[in-house]
Amino acid sequence: TAIAITEQPVSVSVPVGYSFTLRCRAQGRTSLQYQWFCQYQSDCRLIPGATNQDLPIIAEQTQLYTCRVNDLHRNAVFSDWVKVEVHQCVARGLPPRLWQGEPVIVLNPSEQRVEVGQPLQLQCAAMGVPAPRYQWYRNGNLLEQQKRKKLWITHAKVSDSGTYLCCASNSHGERWTHAVDVHIGGGEILPPAEHFQLFHLVFVLATGKIALLVGNNRYQHHPNLMAPVRDVFELSRLLKHLGFQVVSLLD
């Protein structure tokens, strides 16, 4: 309780060679001293001369950082560990000197064909300051548990088929990956489970309140539109609250 950190450093995801500063602020009953440490793989070491509240860095390799704060009474606390993720290739059309830290997609997921019961993995990556958060979607529907760069499903089911994409966001905005198709099953490719759900609703429950939401995201002669994905998700929640059975499809 003698020392309280008032500003934690934050993780970043930046191109190689990018210059930035990690910040740590603390309050105490006496004057405070700062010392930064870094960890690469299993090697944790003190950074010589890094005794200020701010740590200037020129990004070279992905590492973890923390700051130790101590007072004159030998009380000490450590800041959160933060990750400085360094990307070796800069996205085309991104002059680092003009970059304000908004998310930039540097790795898009790729189309997958997976047998039933086998693992499914999709991967994306984005730069950003602070480091972006991730959220995956399937057929325009938010996947609550998939909030990392890597989407991982241990045992794929036919119902996992569909069109996937991921949103990377931070305080400066959000960016979306390309949408990719995932096919689960052997031999003949089956339509996504949402299609079967649609047929069932139309032909068996035709007297109920049914909403079909289609978010068109990709166009042949027009730049990609990202808002429809969010719109479908928000409309789906609203219509379900109003008693509709909702089928959401993408592209």
Side-chain angles (χ1 to χ4, degrees):
T1 59
I3 304 173
I5 293 183
T6 57
E7 181 180 350
Q8 295 280 3
V10 297
S11 296
V12 301
S13 183
V14 296
V16 64
Y18 186 76
S19 300
F20 63 98
T21 301
L22 291 179
R23 293 167 50 90
C24 181
R25 298 290 185 271
Q27 293 179 343
R29 298 171 184 172
T30 67
S31 60
L32 300 176
Q33 298 175 330
Y34 294 78
Q35 176 63 61
W36 289 88
F37 296 78
C38 69
Q39 178 175 325
Y40 177 68
Q41 296 179 346
S42 60
D43 179 28
C44 181
R45 61 181 177 84
L46 176 151
I47 304 175
T51 56
N52 295 321
Q53 295 173 316
D54 295 340
L55 177 66
I57 294 177
I58 299 177
E60 295 180 355
Q61 62 185 5
T62 297
Q63 294 188 120
L64 301 176
Y65 291 83
T66 187
C67 184
R68 183 189 66 203
V69 185
N70 63 274
D71 63 15
L72 300 180
H73 301 299
R74 297 186 178 179
N75 298 306
V77 296
F78 282 84
S79 72
D80 295 339
W81 282 95
V82 294
K83 184 177 184 179
V84 174
E85 184 178 36
V86 179
H87 297 273
Q88 296 300 320
C89 55
V90 178
R92 185 187 307 171
L94 177 70
R97 68 181 183 277
L98 302 179
W99 187 44
Q100 300 299 313
E102 66 276 9
V104 176
I105 303 296
V106 295
L107 176 65
N108 281 284
S110 57
E111 181 175 341
Q112 301 287 323
R113 295 175 182 269
V114 178
E115 297 291 332
V116 172
Q118 295 300 307
L120 167 63
Q121 177 178 292
L122 295 173
Q123 186 172 357
C124 70
M127 297 190 299
V129 179
R133 301 178 300 275
Y134 295 90
Q135 178 61 65
W136 286 89
Y137 295 78
R138 183 183 70 241
N139 295 332
N141 296 313
L142 181 145
L143 299 174
E144 288 285 353
Q145 306 302 319
Q146 302 292 348
K147 297 179 181 293
R148 299 177 180 272
K149 287 187 297 184
K150 291 184 180 181
L151 177 148
W152 177 262
I153 297 175
T154 306
H155 303 290
K157 306 182 297 293
V158 173
S159 59
D160 292 319
S161 297
T163 302
Y164 287 74
L165 79 170
C166 186
C167 176
S169 63
N170 65 11
S171 56
H172 297 290
E174 61 183 30
R175 295 293 185 274
W176 296 76
T177 67
H178 297 159
V180 296
D181 293 326
V182 172
H183 308 285
I184 310 296
E188 182 182 354
I189 297 175
L190 299 175
E194 284 77 5
H195 293 194
F196 293 117
Q197 182 185 7
L198 172 61
F199 300 151
H200 176 71
L201 290 175
V202 171
F203 294 112
V204 180
L205 303 175
T207 58
K209 294 196 299 182
I210 303 168
L212 170 62
L213 304 180
V214 180
N216 283 328
N217 182 48
R218 291 180 291 183
Y219 293 85
Q220 185 175 359
H221 302 294
H222 192 283
N224 289 356
L225 301 179
M226 294 306 175
V229 178
R230 297 192 299 274
D231 293 343
V232 165
F233 174 65
E234 294 298 334
L235 281 172
S236 175
R237 290 201 304 179
L238 175 62
L239 290 169
K240 287 179 181 178
H241 182 70
L242 296 176
F244 281 81
Q245 299 183 68
V246 179
V247 178
S248 300
L249 302 176
L250 180 63
D251 290 324

